Amino acid sequence: MPTKTTKKPRVITRTTKKSTSSSKRIKRKATSKIPLTPATTLQPKEGTTPTVLPVSQESAVLRKKSYLYAVGRRKSAVARVRLYVDKQSEITVNERSAAQYFHNFYLEKIVSDPLRATELLGKVGLSIKVSGGGPRGQAESIRHGIARVLTSWQKEFRAPLKQAGFLRRDPRVKERKKYGLKRARRAPQWSKR
């Protein structure tokens, strides 16, 4: 009967590039070797109590910081969205209210669509920094960012937001101008004679 052999723990070796000058590069092996062990075998140090990890991902993220974060994009507009669960229920865009920032009711509706789809309008606070693009692109990038941050907060919001199409990053952008043409595809007027 053959004897049972124990497996050796895997070892990670890292190779890094050390730059001594702009022309010479030396490749060296890192001295630290980290054995990989399953997480269940890790034991706490003596004299310390083991930390109990929270069950849901939501509570783990919210314990580290008081907000959740996501980025939304549309055309050349980028919106950085922060969701505050315990804050007053207000949507601020670039440190102004959404009504002051977007003077158009239709653009305000675009911004609040994900909250309406998940029935959270007036229940959570949102702080948004948006840059680039025009008013319509900014409003749609904010909608994309809000939908993303809501799905990272609670997974059950994914179905209604996906069905409404708010999680999709709309890839349509203005086509570049070509040389010899007036616009992307518009050719100069052709004269017969």
Side-chain angles (χ1 to χ4, degrees):
M1 185 169 152
T3 59
K4 203 175 205 181
T5 58
T6 58
K7 287 186 178 179
K8 292 181 183 176
R10 286 191 323 175
V11 175
I12 296 175
T13 57
R14 298 180 305 215
T15 57
T16 57
K17 291 182 179 178
K18 176 83 174 171
S19 176
T20 53
S21 68
S22 59
S23 61
K24 292 182 181 179
R25 287 188 179 255
I26 301 169
K27 202 172 190 180
R28 66 180 177 121
K29 275 199 168 185
T31 55
S32 65
K33 293 186 177 185
I34 308 161
L36 293 177
T37 57
T40 55
T41 62
L42 294 176
Q43 299 296 324
K45 293 180 182 177
E46 280 187 41
T48 61
T49 57
T51 56
V52 178
L53 295 174
V55 177
S56 68
Q57 182 185 2
E58 167 206 343
S59 57
V61 175
L62 285 175
R63 281 182 187 167
K64 288 181 185 173
K65 49 190 174 185
S66 62
Y67 61 86
L68 291 169
Y69 174 84
V71 176
R73 292 184 180 88
R74 171 73 172 106
K75 292 187 179 179
S76 60
V78 178
R80 295 170 292 156
V81 180
R82 286 182 176 184
L83 171 81
Y84 297 92
V85 179
D86 55 347
K87 202 175 177 184
Q88 60 196 16
S89 58
E90 185 183 11
I91 301 172
T92 59
V93 182
N94 290 351
E95 297 175 5
R96 289 190 280 176
S97 71
Q100 286 177 336
Y101 191 81
F102 298 110
H103 300 290
N104 188 341
F105 173 75
Y106 183 69
L107 295 179
E108 287 179 57
K109 184 185 175 300
I110 289 173
V111 168
S112 60
D113 275 345
L115 298 172
R116 222 176 258 112
T118 54
E119 299 172 0
L120 288 174
L121 190 62
K123 296 179 183 172
V124 293
L126 292 163
S127 172
I128 302 156
K129 304 277 186 198
V130 65
S131 62
R136 173 73 184 235
Q138 286 187 350
E140 290 183 6
S141 70
I142 289 171
R143 178 176 70 186
H144 185 227
I146 292 172
R148 279 181 159 183
V149 79
L150 288 175
T151 54
S152 71
W153 180 38
Q154 291 187 4
K155 302 294 181 196
E156 59 265 14
F157 291 149
R158 181 170 173 82
L161 292 171
K162 191 171 174 72
Q163 187 178 8
F166 300 147
L167 288 174
R168 184 172 185 267
R169 198 279 197 218
D170 196 344
R172 298 174 296 165
V173 292
K174 189 177 174 74
E175 193 177 334
R176 68 164 288 251
K177 183 193 179 301
K178 283 34 164 234
Y179 52 83
L181 301 180
K182 289 188 172 290
R183 293 195 299 266
R185 301 192 184 195
R186 169 77 169 101
Q189 184 172 335
W190 179 78
S191 70
K192 192 169 184 179
R193 286 176 194 90

